[in-house]
Structure formats: structure tokens, C-alpha cells
């Protein structure tokens, strides 16, 4: 829309849907604000640089201000100015001098340029946020852009991978391909690259079923980072819950994201989004006025009941979105439906999900947010994963989310890390986690797939660094190494950081194989951190949230060690896929499932005897075997057929010395060694000796084929 004259026709329009909606003839604008006195729609030129018209919204229906512009078209840049009381002590922060991004904007043009003008108060004033700033912020703000949502999806279908068959791959859109040698440099780090053949083929070869993308909602670079020359890399700083982050779009168009989803679906790969609905980028009372704060602060955020100038911060980011308010809840629900319906994503991982469940300050696990999702015809069919904690009192809720939800299981992460580094008293916890964490999820009627198992994630050490560093090394973040978690349960295998000692490097590779094999052979849904399969390192930095550079980007350089590890992971995933024993829908019973059948799982000591109650309490136990019966599966197949499998014997030795392990009698069917993490290159081989020479710090998987009825 270049050099267009002012729009002369302004019709009443409708209060629904919220946002800017192109209907093929014109654009409907609708903005919720309960406490506003006046709302102005500001229209800009194509690039969003110059305001060319202001239209007062005279229609107000159920606290929604609206109008319809029959002459408006897709591509129009816009923002709002909202008038009302500036009374922070009452929870109101209206300032019409500040241009606001529509909370429902589906596309943004321009980037925020930090300036004191984007704050509703006068920065540096002795009265702090009780002061009032009259500078116009429009020149520094991104603008919404009216979107044409049409896209040719064709026969696109969700892969609908069953939970128990999933292998999740957590990745960063930009970091995953930023240095990829087989992708044109101008496309690297974008949605488009995730639809490129080299990436799709890599994911297929590896065997992952589901990619989980770090936040792609439009977000801001924090001011303190920008002033240090750093970037908000992870994106947990949302500005607009409907607009994809344009820094990841090579074309600058929303449809690039849709093309990525369609291409991955055609390859049988699901797309899950990491979403941040618990807080926004506007921060605490001293943060900028960019969107919801200026639209209706008292409705969108949880303000402190005793002093409404301040926020109840359950997120550590300055504010918490108030999902007790029906319009804030509507915003989140509308956003989720938009990404599921319009963008075809397959599910969501909710950052600090406990904050979404807070009502009157307490986490209510059967509260309004969960009720809203459960009854929604779209959202009750997509995959829902909670990060089941926040930073507030009572926020740790692992195992307590309602039916239909899976959870990141940090008990799995911590238990397996402690076991393989050799900590005492871990044998019982390791068995519980390996078996799907029935102690956490069984009480509510859930199955093992409620547990999203992980050893590493974006937040923390990579797998390579987990076995290479005892301590974090976050100096590059500019916070004197104070940021990041100090309790990493890591072990450097004898040297801190890079080492030229062959025995240290060999042990590190073996420990990586231990972790990966444990993860991919456990009951539950495994989640891999992108790059762990090839030894990606962040040089000991366990908090690269601000490192949009080689430290955070995956290194695609090839080496024999990296290729070997990738092949090992792909082989593990193939084993998991072929054998239902490792992806059960129901928990082990520890007893026979029928007359004349063996127990579905038997826990063994190195001598071959079954573990006793006293053994489980012995803190010195560092070695454990799990005999898994292929005839002990209660699940049935997709067509109602009985599930049968080979028998498996999994041996885990976290002790630093070798231990002979007596293998159960073969019952006429020979045991075969499938893998031994103490041997980098190995082939399947029949077992000749009834006692297996189990090396120190190693995992072994044996199988025997039982004739199926």
C-alpha cells in the first residue's frame, strides 16, 4: 500500500474475532480493553515507519473496541494508542503516547529499537514508574501487519505419531542450521532450511519422529543484552503470541513457517512448539510499555493484591499473565487454536506451565486453564507437554498435571545423571525412572508416555559438556559466571574441559553412549537435545540463552567420533522402533501377566539372583540388571492383536571396575549381544559364556528370540 490516500470509510465492524482480520473485502479491527477510556487505531506506511492516519474506535461491545475498514488490505501496518488512567498504584498504566502492538497481531514488521521513549514512565525519574513520559514511541516500535492467511495445504495431514512411538528432538530453528555446509548461506538458520532436503533426510536417518522447536513466537532482545552486544537467543521473551518470529524467515513471510510444517509432515515428522504464555517481554513495573501493559495492564497481568503497582512474579521474568481473567485466558486459547488450525502444528510444550494453573496465587491442577483445553475440540486432540514447575511457592508439580498432559520429568534427568556419575543410593530411583516413573504417573491413571524423559535440554549442559566439565563456565554471558545452574550432576571424567589424554576422551565417549542408551531404552517418551548425537559442545556454558553465535549454533564439522556417535543413536532408535518392549503403553507389573508366563520384568543382581527389599536399600549397589519378558506385554496392537517380542536383558554397571554378571539360563534360546557401550564399534554376536564380563561404567543389551504363538 504505497502512497495511499487516507481511508474515508469507517464502519462499525464486529467485536469478534479479536485482532486484524481480512475477510476478502476489508479488514475488521477488534481490541479488548476493559479499563480504557478511548482507543485509537494508527495506520502506517508499508514499512511501518510513518504514521499516516489515526482512527478513533467509537464502537465498544463487551469491552471490545472495534471497527471495519472496507478500504484496508493485507500488508497494512498498524498499532494502537490506548487512553485511560495512568495510576500504577491502582494497576493502570495507560499512556497514549506509546504505540502498542496488537496482542492478536499475526504478523509484525520492523524491530524494536531500544529507547527511553518506549517506557510509559520517565526513565531516571526519582518517582520511577509513578512518573509519566510523554515522548512518542512509534518510531522505535514494531508494528502489526494485516495478514492474508490463505495457504495451499493440499493433502497435509498430521502424522499423529502414537505417544509411545515418539522420539522428540529439541532444536533451535536458527542454531540448528546456521553453519550447515549443505545449505545456501543466505537460507541458514531459517524456517526454510528445516524444509530443505539435507535437514529432512538427516532427521529421517536419525529416526526422530517429532521436532520440538524452541520459541518461535515473535520476541524481543532484552535491553541489557542489546547494550552488551548480545542477543536473546532462546526466545523466552514473547511479544506477540500469534506472529512467528521474522528473524527466522528468509522470505520475511509467514507462509515460510507453513511450508516448513507441511514439508516435515510429508516426511512423517511432527512439529511441536515450545510456547511461553506464562509471562511477556514487558517485565516488571520498570519494564517498557509495548503491548498488553498499555492495552489493559490490570486485566492481562497478575498484579499484587496488596499493592497493585507491582506484579506477582511466578516466572522470574518480572510478570505473570493472568489466566484467571477470561480475556487473558481467551488470548492464550485463541493463540493455541491459531497455531494448531492455521499453522498445522502438532502440539505444544508449555514453558513454566505451573504458572498457567495459578488461581488466587495457588497452582490448581484442575483449574480453568486445564478445563478450557480439555473441552476444546481442537486442543484436546493435539499433544500437550508441561514443564511442570515455576518459580513460585508450590510451583514444583512433577506428576500432578491432569489427564491428557505429559510432563518434562526432571526426576528422570537427575536420577540418571547421578547414577552414571557413580553417586550412592541411586539404584531404586534408576529402576523407577527406567520403568516409566510409575511412582509419579501411575496414581492418576496415566501410562509411561506421561513421562518425557531427557538427560539434557537447551537449558543446561549439552551431553558432551555433561561428561567434560564439573563446573559451569558462563563467563561469555557477561554476568561473572553467576548465571546458570550450579547443580549440574556432571562429571568431567578426569579433566576439566578439552583433554588430549586418550583415556579421558575414551571414557567420555563411553559415558555419552551410556546416557543415550539409557534414554532410548527406557519406558516413556525420550527427548534428545539437538547436537547431542554428534558431540556438540558449548565449552562448558550451561546457559547460552544470550549466545547467538558459534557457542550456541550446532557445529556440523565431521569427525570419526561424531559419525560413530550418530550411528550409535540411529541404531538405538531402530532398536526402540522394532521392539514394543521398549515403548509400552502400560507400566510393568513385576509379576506374570498370565498362568505359566514369566514376570514381565525381573530386577537382577550381578550374581543372577532377583533383587531383594534389602538390596534396594543398599546405597552401595552400583550394578543392576533388568530381565524384560517379551511375553509380558499387556498392550495390544492397532488391530487388536497380541503384542509379543524377544526377551531382553539390560545390564547397567555404574561402578568403575568390571563386574561379572551371571546371565539367566537361555531356556533353549541363545542370548545375543546387541550392544555394549564399552565397545565403540561392535556387531551383534551370540553369547558364548553364561557369565558376561561387564566392563566398568558400561551398559549392555542382550536379547533372545522366543518362538511366538
Amino acid at each position: 500500500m504505497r502512497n495511499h490516500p487516507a481511508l474515508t470509510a469507517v464502519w462499525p465492524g464486529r467485536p469478534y474475532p479479536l485482532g486484524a482480520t481480512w475477510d476478502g473485502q476489508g479488514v475488521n479491527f477488534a481490541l479488548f480493553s476493559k479499563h480504557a477510556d478511548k482507543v485509537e487505531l494508527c495506520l502506517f506506511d508499508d514499512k511501518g515507519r510513518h504514521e499516516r492516519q489515526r482512527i478513533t474506535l467509537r464502537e465498544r461491545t463487551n469491552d471490545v473496541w472495534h471497527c471495519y475498514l472496507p478500504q484496508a488490505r493485507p500488508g497494512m501496518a498498524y498499532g494502537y494508542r490506548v487512553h485511560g488512567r495512568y495510576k500504577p498504584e491502582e494497576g493502570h498504566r495507560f499512556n497514549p503516547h506509546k504505540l502498542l502492538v496488537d496482542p492478536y497481531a499475526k504478523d509484525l514488521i520492523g524491530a524494536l529499537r531500544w529507547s527511553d521513549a518506549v517506557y510509559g514512565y520517565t526513565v531516571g525519574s526519582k518517582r520511577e514508574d509513578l512518573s509519566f513520559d510523554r515522548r512518542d514511541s512509534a518510531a522505535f516500535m514494531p508494528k502489526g501487519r494485516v495478514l492474508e492467511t490463505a495457504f495451499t495445504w493440499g493433502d497435509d495431514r498430521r502424522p499423529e505419531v502414537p505417544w509411545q512411538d515418539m522420539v522428540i528432538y529439541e532444536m533451535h530453528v536458527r542454531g540448528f542450521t546456521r553453519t550447515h555446509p549443505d545449505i545456501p548461506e543466505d537460507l541458514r538458520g531459517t524456517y526454510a532450511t528445516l524444509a530443505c532436503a539435507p535437514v529432512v533426510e538427516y532427521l529421517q536417518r536419525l529416526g526422530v519422529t517429532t521436532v520440538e522447536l524452541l520459541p518461535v513466537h515473535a520476541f524481543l532482545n532484552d535491553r541489557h543484552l542489546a547494550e552488551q552486544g548480545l542477543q536473546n537467543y532462546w526466545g523466552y521473551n514473547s511479544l506477540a503470541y500469534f506472529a512467528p518470529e521474522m528473524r527466522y524467515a528468509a522470505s520475511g513471510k509467514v507462509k515460510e513457517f507453513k511450508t516448513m510444517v507441511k514439508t516435515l509432515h510429508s516426511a512423517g515428522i511432527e512439529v511441536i512448539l515450545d510456547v511461553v504464555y506464562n509471562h511477556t517481554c514487558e517485565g516488571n513495573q520498570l519494564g517498557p510499555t509495548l503491548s498488553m501493559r498499555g492495552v489493559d495492564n490490570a486485566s492481562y497481568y497478575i498484579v499484587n493484591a496488596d499493592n497493585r503497582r507491582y506484579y506477582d512474579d511466578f516466572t522470574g521474568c518480572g510478570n505473570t499473565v493472568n489466566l484467571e481473567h477470561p480475556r487473558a485466558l481467551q488470548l492464550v486459547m485463541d493463540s493455541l487454536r491459531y497455531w494448531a488450525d492455521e499453522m498445522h502444528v502438532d502440539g505444544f510444550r508449555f514453558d513454566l506451565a505451573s504458572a498457567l494453573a495459578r488461581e488466587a496465587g495457588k497452582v490448581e491442577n484442575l483449574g480453568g486453564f486445564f478445563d478450557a483445553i480439555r473441552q476444546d475440540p481442537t486442543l484436546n486432540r493435539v499433544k500437550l507437554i508441561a514443564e511442570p514447575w515455576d518459580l513460585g511457592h508450590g510451583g514444583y508439580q512433577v506428576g500432578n498435571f491432569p489427564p491428557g498432559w505429559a510432563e518434562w520429568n526432571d526426576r528422570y534427568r537427575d536420577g540418571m545423571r547421578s547414577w552414571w556419575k557413580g553417586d550412592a543410593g541411586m539404584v531404586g530411583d534408576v529402576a523407577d525412572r527406567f520403568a516409566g516413573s510409575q511412582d509419579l504417573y501411575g496414581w492418576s491413571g496415566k501410562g509411561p508416555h506421561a513421562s518425557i524423559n531427557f538427560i539434557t535440554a537447551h537449558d543446561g549442559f549439552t551431553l558432551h559438556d555433561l561428561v567434560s566439565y564439573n563446573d559451569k563456565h558462563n563467563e561469555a554471558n557477561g554476568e561473572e559466571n553467576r548465571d546458570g545452574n550450579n547443580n549440574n550432576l556432571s562429571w568431567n571424567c578426569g579433566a576439566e574441559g578439552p583433554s588430549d589424554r586418550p583415556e579421558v576422551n575414551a571414557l567420555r565417549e563411553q559415558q555419552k553412549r551410556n546416557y543415550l542408551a539409557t534414554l532410548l531404552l527406557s519406558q516413556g517418551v525420550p527427548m534428545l537435545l539437538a547436537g547431542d548425537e554428534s558431540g556438540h559442545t558449548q565449552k562448558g556454558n550451561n546457559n547460552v540463552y544470550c549466545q547467538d553465535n558459534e557457542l550456541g549454533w550446532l557445529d556440523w564439522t565431521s569427525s570419526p567420533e561424531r559419525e560413530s556417535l550418530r550411528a550409535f543413536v540411529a541404531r538405538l532408535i531402530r532398536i526402540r522402533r522394532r521392539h514394543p518392549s521398549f515403548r509400552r503403553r502400560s507400566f510393568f507389573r513385576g509379576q506374570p501377566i498370565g498362568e505359566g508366563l514369566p514376570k514381565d520384568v525381573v530386577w537382577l543382581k550381578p550374581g543372577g539372583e532377583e533383587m531383594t527389599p534389602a538390596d534396594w536399600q543398599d546405597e552401595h549397589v552400583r550394578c543392576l540388571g533388568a530381565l524384560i519378558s517379551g511375553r509380558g506385554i499387556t498392550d495390544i496392537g492397532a488391530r487388536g492383536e497380541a503384542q509379543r517380542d524377544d526377551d531382553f536383558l539390560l545390564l547397567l554397571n555404574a561402578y568403575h571396575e568390571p563386574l561379572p554378571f551371571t546371565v539367566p539360563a537361555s531356556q533353549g534360546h541363545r542370548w545375543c549381544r546387541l550392544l555394549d557401550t564399552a565397545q565403540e564399534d561392535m556387531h551383534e554376536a551370540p553369547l558364548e559364556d553364561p557369565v558376561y564380563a561387564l566392563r566398568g561404567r558400561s551398559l549392555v543389551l542382550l536379547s533372545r528370540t522366543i518362538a511366538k504363538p
Side-chain angles (χ1 to χ4, degrees):
M1 297 182 63
R2 293 179 175 81
N3 303 317
H4 287 277
L7 305 186
T8 55
V10 180
W11 298 354
R14 304 178 305 278
Y16 187 85
L18 290 162
T21 306
W22 161 247
D23 63 7
Q25 295 180 316
V27 181
N28 192 81
F29 292 88
L31 180 77
F32 160 76
S33 183
K34 178 179 180 179
H35 299 101
D37 298 329
K38 176 183 175 182
V39 174
E40 294 176 302
L41 172 64
C42 302
L43 306 180
F44 290 80
D45 63 21
D46 285 358
K47 295 184 178 180
R49 294 175 181 172
H50 304 290
E51 184 176 332
R52 60 184 183 83
Q53 189 172 357
R54 238 178 247 199
I55 298 171
T56 299
L57 303 189
R58 304 191 183 281
E59 301 293 330
R60 182 177 185 178
T61 305
N62 298 328
D63 298 323
V64 175
W65 305 73
H66 54 92
C67 77
Y68 183 86
L69 303 182
Q71 298 165 312
R73 296 292 181 267
M76 172 182 282
Y78 73 100
Y80 287 104
R81 298 180 188 272
V82 182
H83 300 249
R85 288 173 291 166
Y86 187 82
K87 292 284 186 180
E89 62 275 20
E90 297 177 6
H92 301 304
R93 296 178 177 271
F94 296 105
N95 187 334
H97 303 285
K98 310 304 167 184
L99 187 80
L100 305 173
V101 170
D102 180 2
Y104 277 75
K106 297 181 177 66
D107 188 17
L108 296 182
I109 184 170
L112 178 80
R113 292 188 296 124
W114 281 108
S115 164
D116 290 349
V118 301
Y119 294 80
Y121 65 94
T122 303
V123 175
S125 169
K126 292 181 179 180
R127 300 185 68 231
E128 294 187 321
D129 58 307
L130 297 179
S131 61
F132 186 77
D133 189 87
R134 299 180 182 276
R135 285 172 288 185
D136 192 329
S137 68
F140 306 97
M141 288 290 295
K143 282 79 179 177
R145 186 161 54 179
V146 178
L147 181 66
E148 167 59 83
T149 59
F151 180 78
T152 304
W153 283 102
D155 60 354
D156 178 68
R157 295 182 182 180
R158 290 194 173 98
E160 295 186 348
V161 179
W163 278 99
Q164 71 274 9
D165 296 342
M166 291 171 64
V167 177
I168 300 174
Y169 191 71
E170 190 196 29
M171 68 159 67
H172 189 286
V173 172
R174 179 168 166 81
F176 186 66
T177 62
R178 189 62 186 83
T179 67
H180 200 298
D182 298 329
I183 292 173
E185 191 166 354
D186 59 340
L187 290 182
R188 294 177 186 173
T190 65
Y191 305 123
T193 60
L194 298 189
C196 287
V199 170
V200 175
E201 291 168 2
Y202 177 85
L203 297 173
Q204 289 179 313
R205 286 196 306 272
L206 196 60
V208 299
T209 68
T210 307
V211 295
E212 182 176 304
L213 305 180
L214 266 67
V216 298
H217 289 167
F219 63 90
L220 294 186
N221 188 32
D222 312 65
R223 187 171 191 176
H224 75 277
L225 294 178
E227 290 174 347
Q228 296 180 67
L230 298 172
Q231 294 286 329
N232 186 312
Y233 176 55
W234 285 345
Y236 292 90
N237 202 28
S238 301
L239 171 64
Y241 289 139
F242 293 77
E245 176 53 55
M246 283 293 105
R247 276 175 280 191
Y248 303 155
S251 64
K253 298 182 183 299
V254 171
K255 66 180 181 181
E256 184 177 319
F257 182 93
K258 296 181 178 181
T259 300
M260 174 197 73
V261 173
K262 182 178 178 180
T263 303
L264 289 171
H265 280 180
S266 68
I269 298 172
E270 298 178 309
V271 179
I272 288 178
L273 301 187
D274 192 336
V275 289
V276 189
Y277 293 114
N278 56 78
H279 73 280
T280 76
C281 62
E282 292 184 297
N284 64 16
Q285 76 278 3
L286 298 178
T289 295
L290 308 173
S291 184
M292 292 194 290
R293 170 172 286 147
V295 172
D296 195 338
N297 182 72
S299 296
Y300 278 119
Y301 295 117
I302 300 178
V303 293
N304 187 272
D306 298 323
N307 189 338
R308 295 173 66 83
R309 175 185 176 186
Y310 302 103
Y311 300 96
D312 283 347
D313 179 12
F314 300 110
T315 67
C317 299
N319 62 60
T320 307
V321 176
N322 181 20
L323 294 196
E324 282 192 84
H325 194 287
R327 291 296 189 177
L329 178 59
Q330 180 187 9
L331 171 72
V332 171
M333 297 298 294
D334 286 349
S335 170
L336 289 168
R337 273 191 299 271
Y338 175 78
W339 286 94
D341 286 339
E342 289 288 337
M343 309 295 249
H344 286 209
V345 302
D346 303 280
F348 305 93
R349 178 267 189 190
F350 293 82
D351 179 65
L352 299 182
S354 293
L356 305 176
R358 288 193 178 270
E359 297 183 357
K362 297 181 180 179
V363 178
E364 297 290 347
N365 291 331
L366 296 176
F369 173 65
F370 300 109
D371 290 343
I373 285 184
R374 184 177 299 176
Q375 61 76 42
D376 189 279
T378 294
L379 300 179
N380 64 20
R381 293 184 292 112
V382 301
K383 290 173 175 172
L384 305 171
I385 301 171
E387 183 183 36
W389 52 78
D390 66 17
L391 300 187
H393 178 72
Y396 186 78
Q397 294 290 324
V398 172
N400 292 331
F401 273 68
W405 286 76
E407 301 174 7
W408 271 26
N409 187 353
D410 67 328
R411 293 275 299 276
Y412 182 95
R413 175 198 66 195
D414 294 350
M416 294 308 183
R417 287 188 179 192
S418 294
W419 170 260
W420 284 116
K421 71 188 286 284
D423 289 348
M426 295 305 302
V427 65
D429 196 55
V430 162
D432 284 340
R433 302 306 142 234
F434 172 79
S437 296
Q438 185 174 9
D439 57 328
L440 299 177
Y441 304 108
W443 67 271
S444 60
K446 296 181 179 181
H449 70 251
S451 178
I452 306 298
N453 300 330
F454 64 105
I455 301 296
T456 59
H458 68 275
D459 187 2
F461 279 148
T462 66
L463 182 62
H464 179 86
D465 291 355
L466 184 69
V467 300
S468 303
Y469 295 90
N470 286 347
D471 303 300
K472 65 182 183 181
H473 296 270
N474 297 358
E475 291 81 6
N477 296 354
E479 300 179 42
E480 298 179 347
N481 206 32
R482 294 190 301 268
D483 63 303
N485 197 337
N486 292 314
N487 183 30
N488 294 288
L489 299 174
S490 62
W491 178 50
N492 65 18
C493 297
E496 188 73 356
S499 174
D500 55 5
R501 293 162 57 190
E503 69 277 12
V504 169
N505 291 326
L507 179 55
R508 287 175 177 175
E509 294 302 313
Q510 184 168 319
Q511 285 286 73
K512 291 180 200 176
R513 293 192 290 272
N514 288 336
Y515 281 122
L516 290 165
T518 305
L519 175 66
L520 288 163
L521 298 177
S522 292
Q523 304 300 322
V525 179
M527 185 184 78
L528 285 166
L529 173 63
D532 276 355
E533 76 280 7
S534 55
H536 174 63
T537 178
Q538 294 168 177
K539 300 180 180 179
N541 191 317
N542 72 354
N543 189 32
V544 297
Y545 80 103
C546 59
Q547 299 295 333
D548 187 6
N549 51 44
E550 289 82 358
L551 199 60
W553 303 338
L554 264 62
D555 181 0
W556 288 90
T557 305
S558 182
S559 71
E561 293 79 13
R562 290 181 175 183
E563 295 303 326
S564 175
L565 194 59
R566 284 178 189 154
F568 180 75
V569 172
R571 184 173 175 221
L572 281 167
I573 294 176
R574 286 196 300 272
I575 291 172
R576 182 182 181 88
R577 182 187 300 123
R578 290 170 182 169
H579 296 287
S581 290
F582 301 113
R583 42 185 178 84
R584 298 165 55 104
R585 296 200 307 274
S586 55
F587 290 109
F588 291 117
R589 298 178 180 181
Q591 59 189 22
I593 67 167
E595 186 175 348
L597 294 176
K599 292 181 180 181
D600 55 2
V601 65
V602 181
W603 301 99
L604 301 175
K605 296 186 286 188
E609 310 91 348
E610 188 168 357
M611 291 279 287
T612 67
D615 294 325
W616 290 113
Q617 300 302 316
D618 186 349
E619 67 175 16
H620 299 294
V621 173
R622 299 289 199 285
C623 186
L624 181 68
L627 176 60
I628 303 170
S629 171
R631 293 171 291 169
I633 303 174
T634 57
D635 306 332
I636 59 175
R639 297 181 180 271
E641 70 276 14
Q643 293 280 304
R644 293 292 182 266
D645 200 0
D646 299 339
D647 289 342
F648 290 95
L649 180 62
L650 186 72
L651 310 178
L652 303 96
N653 182 20
Y655 191 55
H656 64 278
E657 295 288 345
L659 288 173
F661 204 108
T662 300
V663 176
S666 63
Q667 299 179 353
H669 301 276
R670 247 177 142 180
W671 286 103
C672 176
R673 183 188 63 198
L674 296 185
L675 61 89
D676 183 339
T677 61
Q679 302 181 44
E680 183 174 349
D681 297 312
M682 66 173 303
H683 303 285
E684 298 181 12
L687 202 63
E688 304 292 347
D689 194 321
V691 177
Y692 193 92
L694 189 59
R695 301 272 293 276
R697 297 194 177 96
S698 70
L699 178 151
V700 170
L701 180 65
L702 308 176
S703 72
R704 66 181 176 193
T705 302
I706 303 295
K708 299 179 176 60

